[in-house]
PDB file of all heavy atoms in Angstrom:
ATOM      1  N   LEU Z   1     -32.455  32.946  52.117  1.00 98.00           N
ATOM      2  CA  LEU Z   1     -31.558  32.581  51.025  1.00 98.00           C
ATOM      3  C   LEU Z   1     -32.261  32.890  49.685  1.00 98.00           C
ATOM      4  O   LEU Z   1     -33.303  32.350  49.424  1.00 98.00           O
ATOM      5  CB  LEU Z   1     -31.182  31.127  51.046  1.00 98.00           C
ATOM      6  CG  LEU Z   1     -30.279  30.603  49.906  1.00 98.00           C
ATOM      7  CD1 LEU Z   1     -28.877  31.334  49.922  1.00 98.00           C
ATOM      8  CD2 LEU Z   1     -30.014  29.134  50.015  1.00 98.00           C
ATOM      9  N   GLU Z   2     -31.685  33.791  48.915  1.00 96.00           N
ATOM     10  CA  GLU Z   2     -32.236  34.104  47.573  1.00 96.00           C
ATOM     11  C   GLU Z   2     -31.333  33.452  46.551  1.00 96.00           C
ATOM     12  O   GLU Z   2     -30.105  33.637  46.506  1.00 96.00           O
ATOM     13  CB  GLU Z   2     -32.225  35.648  47.374  1.00 96.00           C
ATOM     14  CG  GLU Z   2     -32.954  36.013  46.100  1.00 96.00           C
ATOM     15  CD  GLU Z   2     -33.117  37.537  45.980  1.00 96.00           C
ATOM     16  OE1 GLU Z   2     -32.384  38.293  46.644  1.00 96.00           O
ATOM     17  OE2 GLU Z   2     -34.027  38.005  45.234  1.00 96.00           O
ATOM     18  N   SER Z   3     -31.913  32.714  45.611  1.00 93.00           N
ATOM     19  CA  SER Z   3     -31.164  31.959  44.639  1.00 93.00           C
ATOM     20  C   SER Z   3     -31.941  31.808  43.395  1.00 93.00           C
ATOM     21  O   SER Z   3     -33.172  31.688  43.395  1.00 93.00           O
ATOM     22  CB  SER Z   3     -30.762  30.604  45.196  1.00 93.00           C
ATOM     23  OG  SER Z   3     -30.213  29.768  44.146  1.00 93.00           O
ATOM     24  N   GLU Z   4     -31.207  31.871  42.237  1.00 88.00           N
ATOM     25  CA  GLU Z   4     -31.833  31.659  40.944  1.00 88.00           C
ATOM     26  C   GLU Z   4     -32.286  30.185  40.755  1.00 88.00           C
ATOM     27  O   GLU Z   4     -33.097  29.878  39.856  1.00 88.00           O
ATOM     28  CB  GLU Z   4     -30.859  32.018  39.801  1.00 88.00           C
ATOM     29  CG  GLU Z   4     -30.504  33.508  39.750  1.00 88.00           C
ATOM     30  CD  GLU Z   4     -31.673  34.367  39.353  1.00 88.00           C
ATOM     31  OE1 GLU Z   4     -32.513  33.868  38.575  1.00 88.00           O
ATOM     32  OE2 GLU Z   4     -31.652  35.596  39.720  1.00 88.00           O
ATOM     33  N   LYS Z   5     -31.808  29.358  41.568  1.00 86.00           N
ATOM     34  CA  LYS Z   5     -32.096  27.895  41.421  1.00 86.00           C
ATOM     35  C   LYS Z   5     -33.382  27.498  42.153  1.00 86.00           C
ATOM     36  O   LYS Z   5     -33.766  26.322  42.111  1.00 86.00           O
ATOM     37  CB  LYS Z   5     -30.915  27.078  42.041  1.00 86.00           C
ATOM     38  CG  LYS Z   5     -29.649  27.227  41.292  1.00 86.00           C
ATOM     39  CD  LYS Z   5     -28.450  26.407  41.850  1.00 86.00           C
ATOM     40  CE  LYS Z   5     -27.203  26.631  41.091  1.00 86.00           C
ATOM     41  NZ  LYS Z   5     -26.130  25.746  41.678  1.00 86.00           N
ATOM     42  N   HIS Z   6     -34.022  28.471  42.844  1.00 83.00           N
ATOM     43  CA  HIS Z   6     -35.290  28.122  43.535  1.00 83.00           C
ATOM     44  C   HIS Z   6     -35.051  26.930  44.488  1.00 83.00           C
ATOM     45  O   HIS Z   6     -35.475  25.852  44.218  1.00 83.00           O
ATOM     46  CB  HIS Z   6     -36.429  27.809  42.551  1.00 83.00           C
ATOM     47  CG  HIS Z   6     -36.842  29.067  41.811  1.00 83.00           C
ATOM     48  ND1 HIS Z   6     -37.745  29.949  42.287  1.00 83.00           N
ATOM     49  CD2 HIS Z   6     -36.532  29.500  40.545  1.00 83.00           C
ATOM     50  CE1 HIS Z   6     -37.908  30.891  41.412  1.00 83.00           C
ATOM     51  NE2 HIS Z   6     -37.210  30.649  40.366  1.00 83.00           N
ATOM     52  N   VAL Z   7     -34.476  27.283  45.627  1.00 92.00           N
ATOM     53  CA  VAL Z   7     -34.051  26.153  46.591  1.00 92.00           C
ATOM     54  C   VAL Z   7     -35.081  25.958  47.644  1.00 92.00           C
ATOM     55  O   VAL Z   7     -34.836  25.266  48.667  1.00 92.00           O
ATOM     56  CB  VAL Z   7     -32.763  26.553  47.248  1.00 92.00           C
ATOM     57  CG1 VAL Z   7     -31.617  26.660  46.260  1.00 92.00           C
ATOM     58  CG2 VAL Z   7     -32.895  27.898  48.010  1.00 92.00           C
ATOM     59  N   HIS Z   8     -36.346  26.396  47.471  1.00 97.00           N
ATOM     60  CA  HIS Z   8     -37.381  26.278  48.473  1.00 97.00           C
ATOM     61  C   HIS Z   8     -37.597  24.878  48.952  1.00 97.00           C
ATOM     62  O   HIS Z   8     -37.584  24.598  50.164  1.00 97.00           O
ATOM     63  CB  HIS Z   8     -38.626  26.845  47.921  1.00 97.00           C
ATOM     64  CG  HIS Z   8     -38.500  28.239  47.437  1.00 97.00           C
ATOM     65  ND1 HIS Z   8     -37.923  28.542  46.192  1.00 97.00           N
ATOM     66  CD2 HIS Z   8     -38.911  29.435  47.966  1.00 97.00           C
ATOM     67  CE1 HIS Z   8     -37.973  29.844  45.994  1.00 97.00           C
ATOM     68  NE2 HIS Z   8     -38.572  30.369  47.057  1.00 97.00           N
ATOM     69  N   ALA Z   9     -37.710  23.907  48.035  1.00 96.00           N
ATOM     70  CA  ALA Z   9     -37.950  22.531  48.402  1.00 96.00           C
ATOM     71  C   ALA Z   9     -36.847  21.987  49.278  1.00 96.00           C
ATOM     72  O   ALA Z   9     -37.068  21.198  50.173  1.00 96.00           O
ATOM     73  CB  ALA Z   9     -38.248  21.679  47.225  1.00 96.00           C
ATOM     74  N   GLU Z  10     -35.650  22.379  48.886  1.00 96.00           N
ATOM     75  CA  GLU Z  10     -34.444  21.886  49.637  1.00 96.00           C
ATOM     76  C   GLU Z  10     -34.286  22.539  50.976  1.00 96.00           C
ATOM     77  O   GLU Z  10     -33.754  21.892  51.879  1.00 96.00           O
ATOM     78  CB  GLU Z  10     -33.215  22.155  48.692  1.00 96.00           C
ATOM     79  CG  GLU Z  10     -31.860  21.807  49.401  1.00 96.00           C
ATOM     80  CD  GLU Z  10     -30.692  22.208  48.492  1.00 96.00           C
ATOM     81  OE1 GLU Z  10     -30.998  22.550  47.314  1.00 96.00           O
ATOM     82  OE2 GLU Z  10     -29.584  22.158  48.971  1.00 96.00           O
ATOM     83  N   LYS Z  11     -34.576  23.847  50.991  1.00 98.00           N
ATOM     84  CA  LYS Z  11     -34.175  24.602  52.238  1.00 98.00           C
ATOM     85  C   LYS Z  11     -35.254  24.925  53.290  1.00 98.00           C
ATOM     86  O   LYS Z  11     -34.940  25.152  54.451  1.00 98.00           O
ATOM     87  CB  LYS Z  11     -33.557  25.918  51.751  1.00 98.00           C
ATOM     88  CG  LYS Z  11     -32.201  25.763  51.054  1.00 98.00           C
ATOM     89  CD  LYS Z  11     -31.142  25.233  51.971  1.00 98.00           C
ATOM     90  CE  LYS Z  11     -29.799  25.182  51.256  1.00 98.00           C
ATOM     91  NZ  LYS Z  11     -28.705  24.659  52.170  1.00 98.00           N
ATOM     92  N   VAL Z  12     -36.511  24.993  52.861  1.00 98.00           N
ATOM     93  CA  VAL Z  12     -37.534  25.499  53.856  1.00 98.00           C
ATOM     94  C   VAL Z  12     -37.573  24.682  55.090  1.00 98.00           C
ATOM     95  O   VAL Z  12     -37.670  25.290  56.232  1.00 98.00           O
ATOM     96  CB  VAL Z  12     -38.940  25.624  53.138  1.00 98.00           C
ATOM     97  CG1 VAL Z  12     -39.545  24.258  52.781  1.00 98.00           C
ATOM     98  CG2 VAL Z  12     -39.893  26.425  53.998  1.00 98.00           C
ATOM     99  N   ASN Z  13     -37.626  23.416  55.049  1.00 98.00           N
ATOM    100  CA  ASN Z  13     -37.688  22.553  56.253  1.00 98.00           C
ATOM    101  C   ASN Z  13     -36.423  22.621  56.970  1.00 98.00           C
ATOM    102  O   ASN Z  13     -36.381  22.546  58.290  1.00 98.00           O
ATOM    103  CB  ASN Z  13     -38.119  21.148  55.913  1.00 98.00           C
ATOM    104  CG  ASN Z  13     -39.572  21.020  55.422  1.00 98.00           C
ATOM    105  OD1 ASN Z  13     -40.415  21.523  56.203  1.00 98.00           O
ATOM    106  ND2 ASN Z  13     -39.726  20.432  54.297  1.00 98.00           N
ATOM    107  N   VAL Z  14     -35.278  22.771  56.317  1.00 98.00           N
ATOM    108  CA  VAL Z  14     -33.979  22.912  56.957  1.00 98.00           C
ATOM    109  C   VAL Z  14     -33.951  24.194  57.773  1.00 98.00           C
ATOM    110  O   VAL Z  14     -33.503  24.286  58.975  1.00 98.00           O
ATOM    111  CB  VAL Z  14     -32.788  22.947  56.004  1.00 98.00           C
ATOM    112  CG1 VAL Z  14     -31.487  23.244  56.617  1.00 98.00           C
ATOM    113  CG2 VAL Z  14     -32.720  21.580  55.327  1.00 98.00           C
ATOM    114  N   PHE Z  15     -34.498  25.268  57.175  1.00 98.00           N
ATOM    115  CA  PHE Z  15     -34.537  26.605  57.826  1.00 98.00           C
ATOM    116  C   PHE Z  15     -35.449  26.544  59.126  1.00 98.00           C
ATOM    117  O   PHE Z  15     -35.166  27.176  60.130  1.00 98.00           O
ATOM    118  CB  PHE Z  15     -34.928  27.637  56.812  1.00 98.00           C
ATOM    119  CG  PHE Z  15     -33.880  28.112  55.876  1.00 98.00           C
ATOM    120  CD1 PHE Z  15     -34.248  28.966  54.836  1.00 98.00           C
ATOM    121  CD2 PHE Z  15     -32.627  27.592  55.936  1.00 98.00           C
ATOM    122  CE1 PHE Z  15     -33.259  29.352  53.938  1.00 98.00           C
ATOM    123  CE2 PHE Z  15     -31.680  27.951  55.043  1.00 98.00           C
ATOM    124  CZ  PHE Z  15     -31.986  28.801  53.977  1.00 98.00           C
ATOM    125  N   ILE Z  16     -36.585  25.834  58.972  1.00 98.00           N
ATOM    126  CA  ILE Z  16     -37.512  25.727  60.054  1.00 98.00           C
ATOM    127  C   ILE Z  16     -36.760  25.086  61.239  1.00 98.00           C
ATOM    128  O   ILE Z  16     -36.866  25.573  62.405  1.00 98.00           O
ATOM    129  CB  ILE Z  16     -38.754  24.940  59.629  1.00 98.00           C
ATOM    130  CG1 ILE Z  16     -39.553  25.725  58.677  1.00 98.00           C
ATOM    131  CG2 ILE Z  16     -39.589  24.580  60.891  1.00 98.00           C
ATOM    132  CD1 ILE Z  16     -40.756  24.966  58.017  1.00 98.00           C
ATOM    133  N   ASP Z  17     -36.049  24.021  60.940  1.00 98.00           N
ATOM    134  CA  ASP Z  17     -35.336  23.282  62.037  1.00 98.00           C
ATOM    135  C   ASP Z  17     -34.260  24.212  62.595  1.00 98.00           C
ATOM    136  O   ASP Z  17     -34.109  24.240  63.882  1.00 98.00           O
ATOM    137  CB  ASP Z  17     -34.746  22.074  61.460  1.00 98.00           C
ATOM    138  CG  ASP Z  17     -34.014  21.248  62.437  1.00 98.00           C
ATOM    139  OD1 ASP Z  17     -34.633  20.747  63.414  1.00 98.00           O
ATOM    140  OD2 ASP Z  17     -32.769  21.011  62.251  1.00 98.00           O
ATOM    141  N   GLU Z  18     -33.580  25.012  61.791  1.00 98.00           N
ATOM    142  CA  GLU Z  18     -32.490  25.788  62.292  1.00 98.00           C
ATOM    143  C   GLU Z  18     -32.971  26.941  63.156  1.00 98.00           C
ATOM    144  O   GLU Z  18     -32.387  27.262  64.177  1.00 98.00           O
ATOM    145  CB  GLU Z  18     -31.712  26.368  61.119  1.00 98.00           C
ATOM    146  CG  GLU Z  18     -30.865  25.281  60.395  1.00 98.00           C
ATOM    147  CD  GLU Z  18     -30.123  25.858  59.241  1.00 98.00           C
ATOM    148  OE1 GLU Z  18     -30.255  27.072  58.882  1.00 98.00           O
ATOM    149  OE2 GLU Z  18     -29.244  25.105  58.702  1.00 98.00           O
ATOM    150  N   VAL Z  19     -34.090  27.612  62.809  1.00 98.00           N
ATOM    151  CA  VAL Z  19     -34.579  28.698  63.633  1.00 98.00           C
ATOM    152  C   VAL Z  19     -35.131  28.217  64.950  1.00 98.00           C
ATOM    153  O   VAL Z  19     -34.948  28.886  66.032  1.00 98.00           O
ATOM    154  CB  VAL Z  19     -35.642  29.554  62.885  1.00 98.00           C
ATOM    155  CG1 VAL Z  19     -35.027  30.243  61.676  1.00 98.00           C
ATOM    156  CG2 VAL Z  19     -36.840  28.750  62.591  1.00 98.00           C
ATOM    157  N   MET Z  20     -35.748  27.063  64.990  1.00 98.00           N
ATOM    158  CA  MET Z  20     -36.231  26.471  66.161  1.00 98.00           C
ATOM    159  C   MET Z  20     -35.074  26.134  67.109  1.00 98.00           C
ATOM    160  O   MET Z  20     -35.084  26.395  68.376  1.00 98.00           O
ATOM    161  CB  MET Z  20     -37.107  25.237  65.946  1.00 98.00           C
ATOM    162  CG  MET Z  20     -38.356  25.492  65.140  1.00 98.00           C
ATOM    163  SD  MET Z  20     -39.463  26.749  65.765  1.00 98.00           S
ATOM    164  CE  MET Z  20     -39.876  26.158  67.384  1.00 98.00           C
ATOM    165  N   LYS Z  21     -34.009  25.506  66.510  1.00 98.00           N
ATOM    166  CA  LYS Z  21     -32.801  25.221  67.379  1.00 98.00           C
ATOM    167  C   LYS Z  21     -32.128  26.381  67.863  1.00 98.00           C
ATOM    168  O   LYS Z  21     -31.610  26.394  69.025  1.00 98.00           O
ATOM    169  CB  LYS Z  21     -31.914  24.287  66.518  1.00 98.00           C
ATOM    170  CG  LYS Z  21     -32.408  22.838  66.312  1.00 98.00           C
ATOM    171  CD  LYS Z  21     -31.441  21.991  65.523  1.00 98.00           C
ATOM    172  CE  LYS Z  21     -31.989  20.594  65.410  1.00 98.00           C
ATOM    173  NZ  LYS Z  21     -31.054  19.713  64.626  1.00 98.00           N
ATOM    174  N   GLU Z  22     -32.032  27.449  67.032  1.00 98.00           N
ATOM    175  CA  GLU Z  22     -31.317  28.638  67.478  1.00 98.00           C
ATOM    176  C   GLU Z  22     -32.025  29.273  68.624  1.00 98.00           C
ATOM    177  O   GLU Z  22     -31.406  29.846  69.583  1.00 98.00           O
ATOM    178  CB  GLU Z  22     -31.222  29.666  66.298  1.00 98.00           C
ATOM    179  CG  GLU Z  22     -30.498  30.917  66.650  1.00 98.00           C
ATOM    180  CD  GLU Z  22     -30.335  31.838  65.543  1.00 98.00           C
ATOM    181  OE1 GLU Z  22     -30.248  31.375  64.353  1.00 98.00           O
ATOM    182  OE2 GLU Z  22     -30.330  33.094  65.697  1.00 98.00           O
ATOM    183  N   ALA Z  23     -33.339  29.239  68.569  1.00 98.00           N
ATOM    184  CA  ALA Z  23     -34.115  29.842  69.707  1.00 98.00           C
ATOM    185  C   ALA Z  23     -34.231  28.874  70.869  1.00 98.00           C
ATOM    186  O   ALA Z  23     -34.673  29.236  71.949  1.00 98.00           O
ATOM    187  CB  ALA Z  23     -35.525  30.106  69.210  1.00 98.00           C
ATOM    188  N   GLY Z  24     -33.835  27.650  70.693  1.00 98.00           N
ATOM    189  CA  GLY Z  24     -33.850  26.614  71.826  1.00 98.00           C
ATOM    190  C   GLY Z  24     -35.265  26.247  72.162  1.00 98.00           C
ATOM    191  O   GLY Z  24     -35.507  26.016  73.340  1.00 98.00           O
ATOM    192  N   LEU Z  25     -36.083  26.174  71.190  1.00 98.00           N
ATOM    193  CA  LEU Z  25     -37.569  25.839  71.418  1.00 98.00           C
ATOM    194  C   LEU Z  25     -38.000  24.696  70.524  1.00 98.00           C
ATOM    195  O   LEU Z  25     -37.578  24.552  69.383  1.00 98.00           O
ATOM    196  CB  LEU Z  25     -38.446  27.077  71.098  1.00 98.00           C
ATOM    197  CG  LEU Z  25     -38.168  28.285  72.007  1.00 98.00           C
ATOM    198  CD1 LEU Z  25     -38.778  29.512  71.445  1.00 98.00           C
ATOM    199  CD2 LEU Z  25     -38.694  28.057  73.439  1.00 98.00           C
ATOM    200  N   PRO Z  26     -38.854  23.847  71.074  1.00 98.00           N
ATOM    201  CA  PRO Z  26     -39.398  22.731  70.220  1.00 98.00           C
ATOM    202  C   PRO Z  26     -40.595  23.176  69.432  1.00 98.00           C
ATOM    203  O   PRO Z  26     -41.271  24.230  69.700  1.00 98.00           O
ATOM    204  CB  PRO Z  26     -39.840  21.768  71.283  1.00 98.00           C
ATOM    205  CG  PRO Z  26     -40.210  22.515  72.483  1.00 98.00           C
ATOM    206  CD  PRO Z  26     -39.282  23.723  72.417  1.00 98.00           C
ATOM    207  N   LEU Z  27     -40.893  22.469  68.353  1.00 98.00           N
ATOM    208  CA  LEU Z  27     -42.061  22.856  67.524  1.00 98.00           C
ATOM    209  C   LEU Z  27     -43.365  22.793  68.312  1.00 98.00           C
ATOM    210  O   LEU Z  27     -44.275  23.645  67.947  1.00 98.00           O
ATOM    211  CB  LEU Z  27     -42.143  21.915  66.371  1.00 98.00           C
ATOM    212  CG  LEU Z  27     -41.133  22.016  65.223  1.00 98.00           C
ATOM    213  CD1 LEU Z  27     -41.187  20.817  64.225  1.00 98.00           C
ATOM    214  CD2 LEU Z  27     -41.317  23.333  64.468  1.00 98.00           C
ATOM    215  N   LYS Z  28     -43.458  21.956  69.274  1.00 98.00           N
ATOM    216  CA  LYS Z  28     -44.702  21.885  70.075  1.00 98.00           C
ATOM    217  C   LYS Z  28     -45.067  23.121  70.790  1.00 98.00           C
ATOM    218  O   LYS Z  28     -46.222  23.260  71.292  1.00 98.00           O
ATOM    219  CB  LYS Z  28     -44.650  20.715  70.980  1.00 98.00           C
ATOM    220  CG  LYS Z  28     -43.581  20.827  72.132  1.00 98.00           C
ATOM    221  CD  LYS Z  28     -43.606  19.642  73.027  1.00 98.00           C
ATOM    222  CE  LYS Z  28     -42.654  19.762  74.142  1.00 98.00           C
ATOM    223  NZ  LYS Z  28     -42.588  18.576  74.995  1.00 98.00           N
ATOM    224  N   GLU Z  29     -44.056  24.110  70.899  1.00 98.00           N
ATOM    225  CA  GLU Z  29     -44.320  25.364  71.541  1.00 98.00           C
ATOM    226  C   GLU Z  29     -44.989  26.339  70.693  1.00 98.00           C
ATOM    227  O   GLU Z  29     -45.393  27.458  71.145  1.00 98.00           O
ATOM    228  CB  GLU Z  29     -43.061  25.932  72.196  1.00 98.00           C
ATOM    229  CG  GLU Z  29     -42.408  25.086  73.247  1.00 98.00           C
ATOM    230  CD  GLU Z  29     -43.227  25.012  74.464  1.00 98.00           C
ATOM    231  OE1 GLU Z  29     -43.893  26.113  74.849  1.00 98.00           O
ATOM    232  OE2 GLU Z  29     -43.304  24.015  75.117  1.00 98.00           O
ATOM    233  N   LEU Z  30     -45.054  26.077  69.433  1.00 98.00           N
ATOM    234  CA  LEU Z  30     -45.598  27.057  68.418  1.00 98.00           C
ATOM    235  C   LEU Z  30     -47.073  27.322  68.761  1.00 98.00           C
ATOM    236  O   LEU Z  30     -47.875  26.454  69.025  1.00 98.00           O
ATOM    237  CB  LEU Z  30     -45.470  26.537  67.008  1.00 98.00           C
ATOM    238  CG  LEU Z  30     -44.087  26.537  66.393  1.00 98.00           C
ATOM    239  CD1 LEU Z  30     -44.033  25.861  65.063  1.00 98.00           C
ATOM    240  CD2 LEU Z  30     -43.465  27.924  66.316  1.00 98.00           C
ATOM    241  N   SER Z  31     -47.418  28.652  68.564  1.00 98.00           N
ATOM    242  CA  SER Z  31     -48.833  29.060  68.723  1.00 98.00           C
ATOM    243  C   SER Z  31     -49.590  29.071  67.424  1.00 98.00           C
ATOM    244  O   SER Z  31     -50.784  28.870  67.411  1.00 98.00           O
ATOM    245  CB  SER Z  31     -48.876  30.463  69.377  1.00 98.00           C
ATOM    246  OG  SER Z  31     -48.180  30.480  70.511  1.00 98.00           O
ATOM    247  N   ALA Z  32     -48.847  29.278  66.300  1.00 98.00           N
ATOM    248  CA  ALA Z  32     -49.426  29.406  65.029  1.00 98.00           C
ATOM    249  C   ALA Z  32     -48.351  29.469  63.951  1.00 98.00           C
ATOM    250  O   ALA Z  32     -47.135  29.672  64.283  1.00 98.00           O
ATOM    251  CB  ALA Z  32     -50.294  30.716  64.870  1.00 98.00           C
ATOM    252  N   VAL Z  33     -48.706  29.296  62.711  1.00 99.00           N
ATOM    253  CA  VAL Z  33     -47.813  29.421  61.595  1.00 99.00           C
ATOM    254  C   VAL Z  33     -48.330  30.482  60.596  1.00 99.00           C
ATOM    255  O   VAL Z  33     -49.503  30.339  60.242  1.00 99.00           O
ATOM    256  CB  VAL Z  33     -47.514  28.111  60.863  1.00 99.00           C
ATOM    257  CG1 VAL Z  33     -46.670  28.351  59.640  1.00 99.00           C
ATOM    258  CG2 VAL Z  33     -46.928  27.072  61.750  1.00 99.00           C
TER     259      VAL Z  33
END
């Protein structure tokens, strides 16, 4: 999401949750960030 309002604080954790759910994987499966 590209926005002039700089939505990073609002969206970054939401996006993290969404990509994990879309892939059907829990955070504990991550190897690295």
Side-chain angles (χ1 to χ4, degrees):
L1 179 61
E2 187 173 21
S3 172
E4 294 293 333
K5 296 180 180 180
H6 292 277
V7 297
H8 306 75
E10 175 187 348
K11 293 294 185 181
V12 67
N13 288 309
V14 174
F15 286 174
I16 291 170
D17 183 58
E18 288 181 353
V19 297
M20 298 305 300
K21 286 180 177 178
E22 181 177 328
L25 296 166
L27 287 170
K28 66 181 181 180
E29 295 294 323
L30 290 175
S31 306
V33 178

